[in-house]
Amino acid sequence: MSETRVLSPVSAPATATVGGGPVLGPLGLFTLLLGAALPLIDFFIVNVALPTIDHDLAAGPAMLELVVAGYGLSYAVLLVLGGRLGDQYGRRRLFLAGMAAFGLTSLACGLAPDAWTLVGARVAQGAAAALMLPQVLATIQASTSGQRRARAMSLYGATAGLAMVAGQIVGGVLVAADIAGSGWRAIFLVNVPVALAGLVLATRSVPATRSKDPAPVDLPGTVLLTVALLALLAPLTEGRAAGWPLWTWLALGAFPVAAAVFWWVERRSDRRGRTPLVPPSLFAQPSLRRGLAMLLPFSVGFGGFMFVIAVALQQGLGAGTIASGLTLVPMAVAFFVASLAGPRLVVRHGTRIVTAGGLLQGLGVAVLALTVWHDWSHLALWQLAPGLALAGFGQGLQLPVLFRVVLSDVPNEKAGVGSGVMVTTQQSALALGVATLGSLFLSLTESSGAGRALTVTLLVWLGVIALTTLLSLRLPRTLT
């Protein structure tokens, strides 16, 4: 039985109905994928623009870290709440609100007169993204089934992966183009017309769905999850630039305590028949539990690499913003090709395709490390293409399938919560990767130079890939 219902006649012309529930059409899916791409693009798009922002606003290292971390932190801590609000008040309504807020906060980022204003606007932009993104997966879950859902989830995974790579490519091009003298501001201002187009499309094509029995907001759980994530991510992202003051160590010490208290409160709420922010019963599903266990290290490695490669190419090799961005084109193209082939390969080989993707990704990173180690000082950017292409192809075989695995057994009435948990895991891990691998690279650069630092960072990432490949062997062999 469908767990969704049409909330407004506005969506009727754009959707068909099957069994009394709304069905997502091609234009609606395109609109949702546009909404999924924007937050991920904006997480990575600033990487190539940081030197220019530093020059124009006299930001300094600690402030630049906040430009990146402020967005990532507010985005990560509010994602589950965004999913819950969509279940309660309607997913299309929250998608529209999030899209509108994302456009407005992007405008504020682009017009920021100083560094602190930019940081504040980035925090607000992350909050807007957290309202919008969970509704994408929840709507797909609630308005598709069977092969339509499999195809939609594969396209979502392909979009997410491409957006993460394309962010730095687009960022490099926009900064170098210096449209009307806008410089780095163009990377934010470009979101405004895109958000306006998304609003127009969404009102006509995205079906209105919600949970039939929405749960109220779990305020204690929301506060505790926020405290736990901030205690972990804030000191790791700001610690190195700030010189590791006392508050960073106190926050890291508080993280396991806050996490334990959060889980205890959620379990108690579940036992008393309430609906916690993150229902522990969700983790009884092996597909979700094992998928998240793999998504976490996968995203740590990927997020850290995307930050490190931007800094290494610009500051280590002296490459321009457009050159450093375009260097990633082989990775983006290979990811796209693999993500298109993935659904057919999954039908034939099941989730073992994820294991094969891990092996290919590891081979690509090994080739990259060897290339960098061999002759960093005379390295031409085109020499990175083979390793990047192999790594991108492997990632394209993994990420779309992994998203399908995580949500494969989540019931429709918990679609918002399930998607919020998954995207929170991904986003927190991306931020954690920037903090850990980024700090490792920057620390080694000071003592050993960019070439050796990048080689060591790539080898650490290779170890993370080995872990994800082993974890992929525990995934369910087949997908429904």
Side-chain angles (χ1 to χ4, degrees):
M1 180 179 295
S2 172
E3 298 291 342
T4 62
R5 57 189 175 93
V6 178
L7 297 180
S8 166
V10 173
S11 65
T15 59
T17 58
V18 177
V23 174
L24 183 65
L27 183 60
L29 178 59
F30 170 81
T31 305
L32 289 174
L33 294 180
L34 178 66
L38 283 175
L40 288 169
I41 286 174
D42 267 62
F43 181 80
F44 290 96
I45 201 169
V46 298
N47 287 345
V48 293
L50 290 176
T52 312
I53 294 173
D54 186 21
H55 178 269
D56 286 358
L57 301 182
M63 193 64 68
L64 290 176
E65 292 273 6
L66 281 175
V67 170
V68 177
Y71 177 87
L73 287 172
S74 64
Y75 186 17
V77 301
L78 295 173
L79 274 164
V80 178
L81 177 61
R84 173 63 59 83
L85 292 174
D87 286 349
Q88 185 171 9
Y89 295 108
R91 293 157 189 148
R92 185 177 66 179
R93 182 179 298 171
L94 266 292
F95 181 82
L96 290 168
M99 180 72 79
F102 194 84
L104 290 172
T105 53
S106 295
L107 180 63
C109 289
L111 299 179
D114 53 59
W116 276 113
T117 304
L118 178 59
V119 170
R122 284 283 284 172
V123 171
Q125 189 187 34
L131 282 183
M132 178 171 58
L133 188 60
Q135 319 315 326
V136 175
L137 281 169
T139 301
I140 290 174
Q141 284 287 101
S143 57
T144 61
S145 61
Q147 287 303 309
R148 289 173 60 87
R149 179 180 294 178
R151 180 174 176 273
M153 288 299 299
S154 296
L155 287 172
Y156 174 86
T159 300
L162 281 173
M164 290 187 283
V165 180
Q168 292 185 194
I169 298 173
V170 173
V173 172
L174 288 174
V175 172
D178 194 21
I179 302 168
S182 59
W184 58 267
R185 298 178 186 275
I187 67 175
F188 300 115
L189 296 176
V190 72
N191 291 332
V192 178
V194 176
L196 288 172
L199 285 170
V200 173
L201 291 173
T203 56
R204 300 183 59 85
S205 64
V206 174
T209 68
R210 62 177 289 178
S211 174
K212 289 182 68 176
D213 187 21
V217 172
D218 174 15
L219 184 59
T222 301
V223 172
L224 287 169
L225 179 62
T226 301
V227 170
L229 289 176
L230 285 175
L232 174 66
L233 295 176
L236 288 177
T237 52
E238 280 295 297
R240 189 200 64 83
W244 296 105
L246 179 62
W247 73 264
T248 59
W249 298 108
L250 293 176
L252 288 173
F255 165 68
V257 177
V261 172
F262 167 73
W263 193 246
W264 178 78
V265 168
E266 297 297 272
R267 290 188 63 183
R268 187 180 66 169
S269 178
D270 211 12
R271 286 196 300 266
R272 292 183 174 182
R274 303 169 186 165
T275 306
L277 183 71
V278 180
S281 56
L282 275 181
F283 293 87
Q285 301 167 7
S287 56
L288 182 136
R289 190 172 62 248
R290 294 173 184 177
L292 289 180
M294 183 180 167
L295 182 63
L296 179 62
F298 179 95
S299 300
V300 165
F302 190 83
F305 169 75
M306 295 302 291
F307 173 79
V308 165
I309 195 66
V311 176
L313 295 183
Q314 291 187 75
Q315 298 184 5
L317 285 181
T321 53
I322 191 167
S324 61
L326 293 178
T327 299
L328 297 173
V329 168
M331 174 179 272
V333 172
F335 187 102
F336 181 69
V337 171
S339 63
L340 291 180
R344 293 190 299 272
L345 293 172
V346 168
V347 172
R348 183 177 301 178
H349 303 290
T351 57
R352 288 298 173 261
I353 196 66
V354 179
T355 306
L359 295 173
L360 284 173
Q361 186 187 11
L363 178 61
V365 173
V367 170
L368 277 177
L370 185 61
T371 303
V372 171
W373 171 80
H374 182 257
D375 193 10
W376 170 254
S377 59
H378 298 93
L379 184 69
L381 296 182
W382 64 264
Q383 292 176 281
L384 300 175
L388 288 169
L390 273 173
F393 195 88
Q395 291 163 349
L397 293 179
Q398 292 178 292
L399 193 61
V401 180
L402 200 51
F403 286 150
R404 286 180 58 189
V405 169
V406 172
L407 296 178
S408 59
D409 294 326
V410 174
N412 284 349
E413 67 269 18
K414 294 183 179 179
V417 177
S419 61
V421 169
M422 186 186 77
V423 181
T424 297
T425 301
Q426 181 195 23
Q427 183 59 37
S428 301
L430 289 172
L432 187 60
V434 172
T436 52
L437 293 184
S439 294
L440 172 66
F441 170 79
L442 293 172
S443 298
L444 290 175
T445 298
E446 295 173 358
S447 58
S448 306
R452 186 177 295 273
L454 181 56
T455 303
V456 172
T457 305
L458 288 170
L459 291 176
V460 172
W461 186 25
L462 187 60
V464 174
I465 292 170
L467 173 62
T468 63
T469 305
L470 290 174
L471 289 172
S472 70
L473 297 174
R474 301 184 68 246
L475 298 176
R477 289 297 300 267
T478 59
L479 289 175
T480 55

